[in-house]
Amino acid sequence: KHICKAKNFISGEPMEVEVNITEESKGIYQIEEIDIPFEEEILRNPYTLKSWLRYIDHKSEQLISQQIWIYERALKELPGSYKLWKKYLDLRLKHVEGLNPVRYEKEYLKVNNCFERSLVLLHKMPCIWIGYCTFLMSQCRITKTRRTFDRALKALPITQHPKIWEIYLKFAREVGGETAIRLYWRYLKLEPDHVEEYIDLLLSLSRYDEVAKRLAQVVNNDRFKSMHGKSNYQLWMELCDLVCKHPEEIKSLKVEPIIRSGIQRFTDQVGKLWNSLASYWIKLTHLEKARDVFEEGIATVMTVRDFTQIFDAYAEFEETVITHKMEEAAERAEQGKEDPEEDLDLELRLVRFEQLMNRRPFLVNDVLLRQNPNNVHEWEKRVELWKDNAEKVIETYTKAILTINPKKASGKFHELWVHFAKFYDDGNNLESARTIFEKGTKVNFKSVNDLATLWCEYAEMELRHENYDRAIEVMSRATVPPSNPNVDYRDENIPVQSRVFKSLKLWSFFVDLEESIGTVESTRAVYDRILELKIATPQIIINYANFLEENKYFEESFKVYERGVELFNYPIAFEIWNIYLTKFINRYGGTKLERARDLFEQALEKCPPKHAKPLYLMYGKLEEDFGLARHAMRIFDRATKAVADEDRFEMFNFYIAKASANFGVTYTREIYERAIEVLPDKEAKDMCLKYAELERKLGEIDRARSLYAHASQFCDPRTVPSFWAIWHDFEVKHGNEDTFKEMLRIKRSVQAQYNTEVNFISAQILATRQVQPPAATQISATIEQGALKQTSSSSSTSHLNEDESGPQIPSNPDEINMDDDD
């Protein structure tokens, strides 16, 4: 074994080797036999990093002093090796990890010395600086740590600075105080977007004035984007909350202009901002200034929500002040002291608070009117609030009619004028009411109907005061046409004053007024004017005719009906013709038969089939009552051709009944035959049955049988079993074996015909299911199978059960089978 001292082993200048106190070997080291190969290798290659690293790994399990001795020798030969320095520094850091930096100050200084030596050549390595600065942060050396951070920032390029600033700011937050503030000042020059971290730091240090300044700069910078995702509004709210909570500390900013600018910018949070401003003055004990802010707020907000926020805060503020004043008054009373000024101040505050609560409905109404000054309903509510104050009511009405834009009015603007006039009318001031109405008639309302209503209310007022002539004069003025009467009533671009003369509501009121208090001639003139303007309705026509009839002007009333049917087409003309013809017949009966016939012909000339039936029936009745029966039959015959399809069957029945009553049953045969030709299959079948029943009653059995045979082509045995049952009963009563067989043959052929027609198959099956009782399920299934085959050969053959008494009625006629030979 070779034993030597470290200072003699290493050639050159003596080198200081630092070791742990507990493990120090007093400068004497032993090189063991297993170390000799590594020693020889580093003697041969002293500048090879791998040789030193192998030797270091070999010594990794040895005492710390021996490892340090090897590292020092290696760094002597390779002082610029980053890898070697990094492993050495990690070893030294691990050695002091967990030790108290005060108690083991010397050991920490030795590590600091190692870092300083490493930075002589490795000052561009950020990891060395980060490790050194982090290590210094664990020691109680604030100045040295700060200066080391500064050296790191000076030594490293700008691109590496964020790595240093990350731990530098952590150090600043731990240190706090003026040091942290100044460090953040420097950092914000590099990263101005991180101002929110600086603001948080200032808040933790209670530097509220500086916080307010920074927040004001942030909210005024439109390009600023919060790193924490906060909106500009949230930053505004933070600023407002800050200045309101700490008004005494804020010296650098003018708080009121800041909050007022926020009120203008954030219109959806106006109530909260007004309350913040008032709170600012309250905390500064400027109570009158706070009250002015509350009053200004409730007088300018545009929404009920904002108003409620401000009003509630205002009321709470007043209650708090009053409560405090009352407590002070109670204390003075207990002490036996008197203070007239304070007592008077308390009384004034109580009165003021009471007035505030009484003003609430008016203030809410003000808010709604500021939202929409054209809201007629809210103006009416404001009038109701002033119902006991006539002067305020008049003032409100006047302000409303001056403020509201008639074209944009929300609600019935004309009713506001009417109510204004009625207010004067109820106060027995008729002249003022007339003045209001006169002014209202000159307003260009949104619709003609509004102006017409105003004129009618004007006349109604005159009627209530029994000024009948003046009421008629008012309506006459209202209905005067303009210089150009050919205006379009629906043209919104034309003022309503130029179109109101065509208002039906106006003319209806005018004509009712004339009928009540005017003469017959004046009333007729009004009605005629309505007809000339072509604005009459069917009801106007009927009312005019009834008015003339009541006054014994019968012919004139008929002329009115004639003018009405000229104005209106069907179906409206049908109602007028119906009334006209009824009254004409009731008036003249058969004395003017030719004229009546001419009127009916005119009515039927353009009458659609849908409305022809009542007119033909009325026409026929006229001929029956006052004319000739054959003329009536001719009219009924025309009716069967002119009425709608759904009314034709009923019309034929009526025609047959009348013909039978007037000319006997034999006369109806031609009618029956024509009805069977023109009616649809279903109705033709019913007509054939009725015709056959008639022939049977007349004893014409063969003719009846022929009719049954003709009707059979419309009757599928599966869907219309009732028809075949009727024919079956007929043959049983009046037929013989041959005729019965013929009926069965026809039945089979009809059934086969329907089986081969695909269009009828589904309808047959559906109808069979609906008609059959539940017990016939199996029979129905058999019918469906036969229908699906769609061949005539699949139809069942009939079978006749006979006995001595003749043919028997089977329980199910559809199952009767007969051989082809039979």
Side-chain angles (χ1 to χ4, degrees):
K1 296 181 180 178
H2 300 278
I3 302 174
C4 65
K5 293 182 178 181
K7 62 181 180 179
N8 297 328
F9 182 81
I10 301 174
S11 60
E13 298 178 358
M15 181 180 66
E16 178 185 2
V17 178
E18 301 175 4
V19 296
N20 195 310
I21 298 173
T22 59
E23 298 177 350
E24 189 175 3
S25 299
K26 298 181 181 180
I28 299 175
Y29 306 97
Q30 292 181 345
I31 297 176
E32 299 177 356
E33 187 176 353
I34 59 175
D35 297 338
I36 293 175
F38 295 100
E39 289 289 343
E40 292 176 349
E41 183 179 358
I42 61 175
L43 287 175
R44 289 191 299 269
N45 301 306
Y47 303 111
T48 303
L49 179 62
K50 291 183 179 179
S51 300
W52 287 105
L53 291 177
R54 281 195 291 269
Y55 196 5
I56 291 170
D57 291 340
H58 168 68
K59 287 288 188 179
S60 62
E61 301 297 331
Q62 301 296 326
L63 296 175
I64 185 68
S65 59
Q66 295 186 26
Q67 295 183 50
I68 292 173
W69 180 54
I70 299 300
Y71 272 114
E72 290 292 346
R73 291 171 58 194
L75 291 171
K76 179 69 176 179
E77 303 296 337
L78 300 170
S81 173
Y82 170 76
K83 190 171 185 179
L84 204 57
W85 273 111
K86 186 69 171 66
K87 292 174 69 68
Y88 183 36
L89 292 172
D90 289 344
L91 177 67
R92 299 305 295 262
L93 289 172
K94 184 177 181 182
H95 178 61
V96 298
E97 184 179 1
L99 298 179
N100 190 310
V102 178
R103 183 176 180 183
Y104 298 96
E105 182 179 5
K106 291 183 179 181
E107 298 302 316
Y108 275 86
L109 289 175
K110 292 175 182 179
V111 179
N112 292 346
N113 184 35
C114 290
F115 272 108
E116 292 290 347
R117 287 162 51 205
S118 68
L119 291 172
V120 173
L121 295 177
L122 301 178
H123 58 277
K124 295 295 183 183
M125 298 297 174
C127 289
I128 303 294
W129 284 109
I130 292 172
Y132 188 20
C133 294
T134 305
F135 181 64
L136 286 173
M137 287 172 61
S138 63
Q139 306 174 39
C140 300
R141 299 176 181 275
I142 295 176
T143 302
K144 182 175 179 58
T145 304
R146 176 174 56 79
R147 290 176 178 175
T148 303
F149 273 113
D150 294 342
R151 287 168 55 202
L153 293 173
K154 292 178 181 178
L156 294 174
I158 190 68
T159 56
Q160 303 291 342
H161 283 196
K163 297 179 180 179
I164 302 299
W165 275 112
E166 183 177 356
I167 56 175
Y168 200 0
L169 294 177
K170 181 180 179 182
F171 166 73
R173 289 191 290 270
E174 291 176 356
V175 173
E178 191 67 25
T179 300
I181 293 174
R182 292 186 177 275
L183 288 178
Y184 264 97
W185 282 0
R186 292 170 55 193
Y187 178 63
L188 291 178
K189 293 180 180 179
L190 178 67
E191 295 289 346
D193 290 339
H194 290 255
V195 67
E196 290 172 278
E197 297 179 13
Y198 179 43
I199 291 172
D200 294 338
L201 174 66
L202 292 173
L203 286 173
S204 65
L205 299 175
S206 300
R207 303 287 289 270
Y208 300 115
D209 188 59
E210 181 67 18
V211 173
K213 287 170 60 178
R214 289 289 179 173
L215 280 174
Q217 293 174 4
V218 167
V219 297
N220 289 327
N221 185 3
D222 296 334
R223 298 182 180 180
F224 176 78
K225 291 185 178 179
S226 172
M227 302 293 291
H228 298 164
K230 295 181 180 179
S231 63
N232 191 266
Y233 163 71
Q234 289 175 307
L235 295 172
W236 262 105
M237 289 296 103
E238 290 182 7
L239 176 59
C240 292
D241 293 341
L242 178 69
V243 298
C244 293
K245 291 180 181 178
H246 310 282
E248 296 85 359
E249 289 86 353
I250 308 300
K251 306 296 183 182
S252 303
L253 296 177
K254 294 182 178 180
V255 176
E256 186 169 1
I258 292 175
I259 300 179
R260 287 185 180 274
S261 64
I263 292 172
Q264 295 177 357
R265 292 180 61 179
F266 306 106
T267 55
D268 58 335
Q269 295 294 331
V270 171
K272 186 175 181 180
L273 290 172
W274 277 114
N275 287 342
S276 298
L277 182 56
S279 176
Y280 169 76
W281 290 115
I282 291 171
K283 290 191 176 182
L284 289 177
T285 65
H286 296 173
L287 302 184
E288 293 301 325
K289 186 68 175 178
R291 186 176 290 106
D292 293 341
V293 170
F294 279 125
E295 289 289 344
E296 185 180 357
I298 60 179
T300 57
V301 292
M302 301 295 291
T303 64
V304 176
R305 179 176 64 89
D306 292 334
F307 168 81
T308 304
Q309 289 180 350
I310 299 174
F311 187 87
D312 292 346
Y314 190 8
E316 184 179 358
F317 161 70
E318 292 287 359
E319 287 179 356
T320 303
V321 174
I322 290 172
T323 302
H324 179 69
K325 292 286 185 181
M326 293 179 71
E327 291 175 354
E328 291 181 349
E331 292 178 1
R332 289 197 303 271
E334 291 178 358
Q335 297 173 2
K337 297 181 181 179
E338 294 184 0
D339 192 341
E341 292 185 1
E342 288 295 328
D343 294 340
L344 179 60
D345 183 61
L346 177 59
E347 292 294 333
L348 291 175
R349 291 183 183 278
L350 288 171
V351 172
R352 181 185 293 168
F353 181 70
E354 184 180 0
Q355 289 180 347
L356 176 64
M357 302 310 293
N358 293 335
R359 286 165 54 205
R360 181 183 173 86
F362 295 94
L363 295 174
V364 173
N365 184 259
D366 285 337
V367 173
L368 296 174
L369 288 177
R370 281 196 295 272
Q371 282 183 1
N372 182 13
N374 298 311
N375 191 334
V376 177
H377 180 65
E378 291 301 326
W379 283 110
E380 293 282 6
K381 289 175 64 175
R382 191 168 187 83
V383 170
E384 292 178 4
L385 293 174
W386 291 115
K387 57 183 179 181
D388 296 331
N389 191 332
E391 183 178 351
K392 288 293 184 180
V393 169
I394 296 172
E395 180 183 345
T396 303
Y397 273 124
T398 304
K399 187 176 180 181
I401 61 180
L402 293 175
T403 303
I404 296 175
N405 184 342
K407 293 296 183 181
K408 298 179 181 180
S410 175
K412 299 179 179 180
F413 185 36
H414 65 281
E415 289 187 357
L416 191 67
W417 286 92
V418 172
H419 295 161
F420 193 9
K422 284 185 177 180
F423 173 76
Y424 280 115
D425 187 18
D426 295 340
N428 297 322
N429 192 345
L430 186 58
E431 288 300 323
S432 297
R434 288 171 179 165
T435 303
I436 297 301
F437 273 120
E438 290 293 340
K439 290 182 178 180
T441 58
K442 296 178 174 60
V443 176
N444 189 15
F445 291 101
K446 189 184 300 184
S447 67
V448 177
N449 197 44
D450 294 345
L451 181 57
T453 303
L454 188 68
W455 278 111
C456 294
E457 291 290 344
Y458 190 2
E460 285 278 4
M461 183 190 72
E462 297 293 349
L463 289 176
R464 286 195 299 271
H465 291 277
E466 299 182 357
N467 297 327
Y468 304 119
D469 294 337
R470 196 177 185 95
I472 292 177
E473 186 264 336
V474 167
M475 296 308 299
S476 300
R477 287 168 49 206
T479 54
V480 172
S483 56
N484 181 18
N486 298 322
V487 296
D488 186 1
Y489 180 77
R490 297 176 180 82
D491 189 354
E492 299 293 336
N493 297 322
I494 302 175
V496 292
Q497 282 76 12
S498 300
R499 296 180 284 150
V500 72
F501 77 100
K502 287 188 176 182
S503 171
L504 184 61
K505 181 175 184 178
L506 200 65
W507 283 104
S508 298
F509 183 86
F510 193 9
V511 77
D512 290 342
L513 185 63
E514 287 288 356
E515 285 188 17
S516 300
I517 60 177
T519 62
V520 176
E521 288 74 15
S522 62
T523 306
R524 289 183 61 182
V526 175
Y527 272 119
D528 291 337
R529 183 60 180 156
I530 294 174
L531 296 176
E532 290 175 6
L533 293 173
K534 297 182 179 180
I535 59 173
T537 62
Q539 189 62 48
I540 293 290
I541 298 295
I542 295 170
N543 291 343
Y544 188 13
N546 289 337
F547 171 75
L548 292 173
E549 184 178 357
E550 290 172 0
N551 288 277
K552 310 301 182 182
Y553 292 92
F554 299 104
E555 284 299 326
E556 284 77 1
S557 68
F558 295 151
K559 291 180 181 179
V560 170
Y561 284 122
E562 292 175 359
R563 294 179 68 178
V565 296
E566 291 177 1
L567 289 174
F568 302 102
N569 296 323
Y570 282 94
I572 298 175
F574 167 75
E575 302 296 339
I576 300 176
W577 274 116
N578 199 11
I579 298 173
Y580 180 21
L581 294 173
T582 301
K583 288 186 177 292
F584 187 88
I585 294 172
N586 293 337
R587 170 67 179 166
Y588 293 111
T591 57
K592 295 188 178 182
L593 187 58
E594 289 301 325
R595 183 178 171 185
R597 289 171 179 169
D598 186 55
L599 290 176
F600 273 107
E601 292 297 334
Q602 291 181 33
L604 294 170
E605 184 178 359
K606 298 180 180 180
C607 182
K610 182 179 180 181
H611 301 93
K613 179 183 172 184
L615 295 179
Y616 274 109
L617 292 177
M618 191 185 302
Y619 193 5
K621 189 173 186 309
L622 173 70
E623 291 293 348
E624 284 183 328
D625 294 341
F626 306 107
L628 301 174
R630 56 188 178 84
H631 288 172
M633 293 303 104
R634 192 182 304 119
I635 291 169
F636 292 140
D637 183 64
R638 286 172 56 192
T640 58
K641 302 174 184 177
V643 298
D645 293 340
E646 59 270 18
D647 296 331
R648 189 162 293 166
F649 180 73
E650 185 180 351
M651 196 67 222
F652 267 114
N653 287 332
F654 184 81
Y655 183 18
I656 290 170
K658 289 294 183 182
S660 176
N662 292 327
F663 299 102
V665 293
T666 57
Y667 184 80
T668 61
R669 284 175 173 161
E670 294 182 1
I671 304 175
Y672 274 117
E673 292 173 1
R674 190 161 63 83
I676 294 170
E677 291 178 3
V678 300
L679 289 175
D681 292 351
K682 182 179 180 181
E683 296 176 351
K685 179 260 298 183
D686 295 336
M687 192 62 70
C688 286
L689 291 176
K690 294 181 66 176
Y691 192 9
E693 182 65 20
L694 172 66
E695 295 293 355
R696 188 184 65 79
K697 290 179 179 179
L698 294 177
E700 298 290 344
I701 303 301
D702 293 337
R703 291 176 64 88
R705 185 175 291 111
S706 299
L707 287 170
Y708 284 124
H710 178 74
S712 64
Q713 61 184 317
F714 310 132
C715 304
D716 181 6
R718 301 179 187 187
T719 58
V720 194
S722 58
F723 169 79
W724 296 99
I726 294 172
W727 195 0
H728 183 279
D729 294 341
F730 173 80
E731 293 297 344
V732 169
K733 294 179 181 179
H734 304 288
N736 52 38
E737 183 177 351
D738 295 334
T739 59
F740 195 88
K741 289 181 178 180
E742 181 64 17
M743 179 197 72
L744 295 177
R745 185 191 66 77
I746 294 174
K747 181 177 182 181
R748 286 199 308 275
S749 65
V750 171
Q751 183 171 348
Q753 177 186 357
Y754 278 98
N755 281 340
T756 57
E757 294 184 10
V758 180
N759 294 337
F760 290 98
I761 292 176
S762 59
Q764 291 171 346
I765 295 173
L766 181 61
T768 303
R769 286 176 176 173
Q770 294 175 349
V771 172
Q772 290 182 124
T777 305
Q778 185 176 0
I779 300 172
S780 176
T782 304
I783 295 173
E784 290 182 15
Q785 292 175 359
L788 291 173
K789 291 179 181 179
Q790 298 182 6
T791 58
S792 61
S793 61
S794 64
S795 60
S796 301
T797 57
S798 300
H799 177 73
L800 181 64
N801 294 325
E802 298 181 359
D803 56 14
E804 296 178 356
S805 60
Q808 300 294 324
I809 299 176
S811 60
N812 188 352
D814 290 336
E815 291 189 352
I816 294 177
N817 296 320
M818 293 185 67
D819 295 336
D820 293 338
D821 296 339
D822 295 338

